[in-house]
Amino acid sequence: MSVLRPLDKLPGLNTATILLVGTEDALLQQLADAMLKEDCASELKVHLAKSLPLPSSVTRPRIDLIMFVVNLHSKYSLRNVEESLHHVDATFFLGKVGFLATGAGRESHCSVHRNTVVKLAHTYRSPLLFCDLEVAQCFVGLSPGCGHGTAYQATLRQHPTCHS
Amino acid sequence: MLRVGPGLAADFIFCPVVRSFSLQYLCLETMDSCDTPESTPRQRASSRLKDYFIGATPLQKRLESVRRQTSFVPTPPRRKIPQCSQLQEDVDPQKVAFLLHKQWTLYSLTPLYKFSYTNLKEYSKLLGAFIAAEKQKGLAVEVGEDFNIKVIFSALLGMKGTQRDPEAFLVQILSKSQLPSENREGKVLWTGWFCCIFGDSLLETVSEDFTCLPLFLANGAETNTAMIGTWFQKTFDCYFSPLAINAYNLSWMAAMWTACKMDHYMATTEFLWSVPCSPQRLDISYAIHPEDAKALWDSVHKTPGEVTQEEVDLFMDCLYSHFHRHFKIHLSATRLVRVSTSVASAHTDGKIKILCHKYLIGVLAYLTELAIFQIE
């Protein structure tokens, strides 16, 4: 079983790689597209994965940031993220991991309680962002309701090499 | 529509899948930017050692205990299984029989300003006049509608959780009989009732002028509900909003109602999931024999008299994994839309039907909690 380690490869010159892990393919694709459209000082690469561990047959650059996307409407996505977390090395959690909880805008559709995700992020000492990737508008801040743009900005701000 | 019949219950083999939070022990050398008052395991161990050997000062001990108690992650709720409450014994089953077996639409209501239980007759007259005026205005046009309606406000005794809860009251719209005979009671066109069960958290925050009845249940035509809502909003300066029940709360209801002890089961335990897929929505209905559901719950349940988050999750996970084994469909990726047990049935749009008189107060207590949460 391969475990993701942050420093097992050499860094690419002026590039940053973000890995998005989540079960919702369409949402991840949308978020990745929005990220790539935005301006970034260095070259940005976004990898998408349904779950970890990643197949070892493919050569990929060093992963600089992992964002675990949990859909609050689906318990399955939460279980998937919980299982994927086992395949990440502990040293990754020193600021290279974040959690993104989507679907917080529509409270009536939520199967997962907000506090469950808050507790998960607290356990892993990583930041948590709430957003609604299905809604095109942009809401405020780090509490439930951001749009693509804000989620992307916050994600990038975490990463030291990207300044936007 | 995919249906799993009760025949499947015969070979109901559930695998208790233990899903607990993977609390990986991370030995972090540096604290990150989100400052937590909780001490790291190493610090806690060393402070314990300190207490034991060196004898820490009282201030240090107090600081340690405070640090351990305060954590910004709220603990998951524990709820009491609905029991036959003391006050419910006083309720006459005949009087509340009309509340059962009817589909009610749920609303949450902010506290009523200057509402008085002594003026019920006056309110009946005022509301009756208002409805007649609205109907004549042509806002609620129903062809051939009989304009002779009567509104009755009445108190519902015994529908409360504690003595502090305000008395519940009922509003009914009856069609006045055309014939002069006194005995002919009009047909009930619309029923609505306001109640508050165990609403202590709300009662503490409001002043004397307000009456807190956060839960409103309506049965009848939507136009009548809207008219009566408008009148209440104008008269008592309150606000109605529809109470939707999300999948998380529905799974809590399923667990709590399955946990209720029943002498005989009237209906099968049924769940309905909605799968978000295009172009047409797919609904999955899963029916279990109620005794099997109770057996599953009993194997999951640990603390007597209380329901915890872990037990609810485990109960639902057992159902999901059983379904997955047979159909290879992950129900946890879909949305729970309807739960139906012998105690009550609830739909995510805020519709409820209570079937069992014994647990009426218990069901209403949970709904009151949801209504209060929505108001706040």
Side-chain angles (χ1 to χ4, degrees):
Chain A
M1 281 291 184
S2 62
V3 171
L4 272 180
R5 280 176 226 281
L7 302 170
D8 60 351
K9 288 187 189 158
L10 289 173
L13 189 65
N14 211 29
T15 53
T17 311
I18 297 180
L19 175 66
L20 299 176
V21 180
T23 53
E24 313 281 319
D25 298 327
L27 294 179
L28 292 186
Q29 191 69 48
Q30 277 180 323
L31 180 60
D33 289 337
M35 280 173 149
L36 290 169
K37 274 196 207 124
E38 297 276 341
D39 247 339
C40 185
S42 33
E43 195 190 312
L44 181 67
K45 290 191 183 151
V46 181
H47 284 239
L48 304 177
K50 208 170 174 85
S51 67
L52 298 176
L54 298 173
S56 45
S57 52
V58 180
T59 51
R60 62 180 70 83
R62 186 179 83 164
I63 309 261
D64 297 310
L65 177 69
I66 306 179
M67 286 301 284
F68 288 99
V69 181
V70 176
N71 187 357
L72 289 178
H73 301 179
S74 153
K75 257 192 197 166
Y76 177 60
S77 69
L78 178 67
R79 296 277 177 259
N80 181 57
V81 161
E82 280 173 5
E83 268 154 40
S84 301
L85 282 165
H86 297 166
H87 299 285
V88 179
D89 189 46
T91 47
F92 237 117
F93 293 98
L94 293 168
K96 290 183 183 241
V97 170
F99 292 90
L100 194 64
T102 173
R106 284 193 293 171
E107 186 65 36
S108 58
H109 285 230
C110 286
S111 306
V112 177
H113 199 276
R114 206 171 298 163
N115 290 343
T116 313
V117 190
V118 169
K119 192 174 170 186
L120 181 67
H122 177 63
T123 313
Y124 285 94
R125 303 287 204 272
S126 297
L128 171 66
L129 301 172
F130 285 100
C131 69
D132 207 328
L133 293 174
E134 289 164 38
V135 177
Q137 301 159 308
C138 210
F139 294 92
V140 180
L142 288 178
S143 26
C146 301
H148 285 122
T150 323
Y152 165 73
Q153 297 281 345
T155 311
L156 273 203
R157 227 175 277 130
Q158 279 178 263
H159 198 281
T161 63
C162 290
H163 303 285
S164 54
Chain B
M1 190 175 93
L2 181 67
R3 196 176 180 88
V4 175
L8 201 60
D11 58 327
F12 188 86
I13 311 153
F14 55 86
C15 43
V17 180
V18 179
R19 303 270 184 199
S20 56
F21 266 118
S22 49
L23 292 169
Q24 275 186 332
Y25 182 89
L26 302 172
C27 187
L28 295 179
E29 303 288 351
T30 57
M31 291 291 273
D32 58 352
S33 57
C34 41
D35 193 44
T36 71
E38 232 180 325
S39 52
T40 58
R42 188 182 295 162
Q43 275 180 13
R44 223 183 288 146
S46 67
S47 70
R48 243 182 278 142
L49 274 169
K50 241 195 276 177
D51 283 347
Y52 190 68
F53 287 116
I54 301 170
T57 62
L59 180 63
Q60 269 178 323
K61 281 193 198 144
R62 232 179 288 148
L63 276 172
E64 263 313 309
S65 67
V66 165
R67 231 185 272 152
R68 252 180 250 136
Q69 275 166 27
T70 57
S71 65
F72 69 90
V73 178
T75 52
R78 308 175 85 87
R79 290 203 179 87
K80 287 201 162 52
I81 297 173
Q83 308 283 346
C84 246
S85 74
Q86 199 68 352
L87 287 162
Q88 201 177 343
E89 303 287 320
D90 308 329
V91 175
D92 188 8
Q94 301 297 327
K95 290 220 180 88
V96 293
F98 72 97
L99 297 175
L100 304 175
H101 301 284
K102 260 211 195 85
Q103 176 150 305
W104 300 100
T105 310
L106 298 169
Y107 294 86
S108 69
L109 178 61
T110 56
L112 303 164
Y113 184 64
K114 291 227 161 75
F115 176 84
S116 160
Y117 288 96
T118 52
N119 294 348
L120 292 181
K121 279 217 170 65
E122 202 185 301
Y123 297 146
S124 314
K125 282 192 215 131
L126 288 170
L127 184 52
F130 179 79
I131 292 176
E134 289 289 314
K135 289 214 156 134
Q136 286 190 340
K137 252 196 251 175
L139 288 173
V141 178
E142 280 152 46
V143 181
E145 168 82 3
D146 176 14
F147 282 171
N148 293 335
I149 53 153
K150 194 166 68 159
V151 175
I152 299 180
F153 275 64
S154 53
L156 272 177
L157 297 165
M159 299 295 292
K160 40 159 78 167
T162 62
Q163 287 297 347
R164 266 191 77 184
D165 289 333
E167 204 67 55
F169 72 94
L170 175 73
V171 180
Q172 279 178 311
I173 298 182
L174 304 157
S175 64
K176 245 191 272 180
S177 169
Q178 293 283 29
L179 299 170
S181 66
E182 294 289 324
N183 300 339
R184 192 81 67 89
E185 261 301 316
K187 195 177 69 153
V188 176
L189 297 173
W190 184 91
T191 317
W193 49 296
F194 301 74
C195 68
C196 175
I197 316 281
F198 294 112
D200 292 327
S201 58
L202 190 61
L203 292 167
E204 282 159 18
T205 57
V206 296
S207 65
E208 286 293 317
D209 292 330
F210 288 93
T211 312
C212 284
L213 292 161
L215 189 62
F216 173 58
L217 301 97
N219 172 276
E222 186 57 43
T223 49
N224 289 334
T225 312
M227 269 197 296
I228 288 164
T230 319
W231 185 82
F232 268 93
Q233 282 173 173
K234 276 205 307 212
T235 318
F236 302 111
D237 195 21
C238 57
Y239 185 68
F240 285 85
S241 58
L243 183 66
I245 309 172
N246 64 22
Y248 172 79
N249 289 318
L250 281 176
S251 55
W252 262 92
M253 284 180 184
M256 282 167 63
W257 297 344
T258 310
C260 293
K261 246 192 297 253
M262 299 278 287
D263 300 323
H264 66 277
Y265 291 97
M266 289 181 277
T268 54
T269 303
E270 201 180 306
F271 297 84
L272 185 70
W273 280 274
S274 163
V275 184
C277 65
S278 56
Q280 219 179 17
R281 221 188 56 200
L282 176 69
D283 283 331
I284 300 176
S285 164
Y286 184 173
I288 317 169
H289 196 277
E291 277 165 24
D292 289 338
K294 184 77 166 78
L296 172 61
W297 171 258
D298 287 336
S299 68
V300 166
H301 187 51
K302 287 186 199 67
T303 46
E306 267 191 345
V307 182
T308 62
Q309 179 70 59
E310 288 87 27
E311 288 168 6
V312 174
D313 286 340
L314 194 50
F315 179 70
M316 295 307 288
D317 282 344
C318 290
L319 297 175
Y320 293 152
S321 55
H322 178 73
F323 196 86
H324 179 68
R325 175 186 291 191
H326 288 270
F327 297 100
K328 296 289 179 262
I329 294 177
H330 287 282
L331 282 174
S332 47
T334 62
R335 183 165 76 105
L336 182 59
V337 158
R338 188 166 181 273
V339 167
S340 176
T341 63
S342 295
V343 172
S345 80
H347 190 280
T348 191
D349 290 338
K351 296 193 168 31
I352 189 132
K353 191 189 274 192
I354 307 172
L355 304 168
C356 177
H357 155 257
K358 219 167 121 189
Y359 297 107
L360 179 61
I361 296 288
V363 171
L364 292 173
Y366 189 46
L367 294 173
T368 310
E369 198 185 315
L370 292 181
I372 291 175
F373 181 73
Q374 192 176 22
I375 295 171
E376 283 171 358

